[in-house]
Amino acid sequence: MRPEQLQDYALDLAKNAPGVTRVQTLADAGDKTHPYGLAITRGKDERWQFIGQLAPGEKFDAPTAPVEGTPASGPAPAGDAGAEEWLAGILLAAENPQIAAVTRWSTREGERSGNYGLTIDYHNGAKTFVRAL
């Protein structure tokens, strides 16, 4: 899944999540610096940039074929969960068969305090890095 595809997918998930009062792409929110990402309002504004890493051997000028496998899964997040936990939770609860793993940066061993984001690993070997802005 490329960043633009994840953006559309996560936008639909966030629109239907409890506690969300507004969600839009970064571009629609006026951000001209980051091509892909979301601006989510859940009591306060949360902004996320999506950065893609292609699967080995994949080229930008060729469409990517989805590869499915056992989906990463987890419980739906509480509406008052922290931003990183909440975003990971809505992705995991959806159980997308293209997503192999979702790793929260704040929970990685040796991670610096205050570094928030996600790494999403796909079954085809691609990754998306979701960075808090």
Side-chain angles (χ1 to χ4, degrees), residues 44 98 107 132:
K44 67 176 188 168
Q98 292 183 52
T107 62

Side-chain angles (χ1 to χ4, degrees), residues 48 84 105-107 111-117 131-133:
W48 300 97
E84 182 194 61
W105 295 355
S106 67
T107 62
E111 189 61 41
R112 293 181 302 203
S113 177
N115 198 7
Y116 297 101
R131 182 176 73 96
L133 296 175

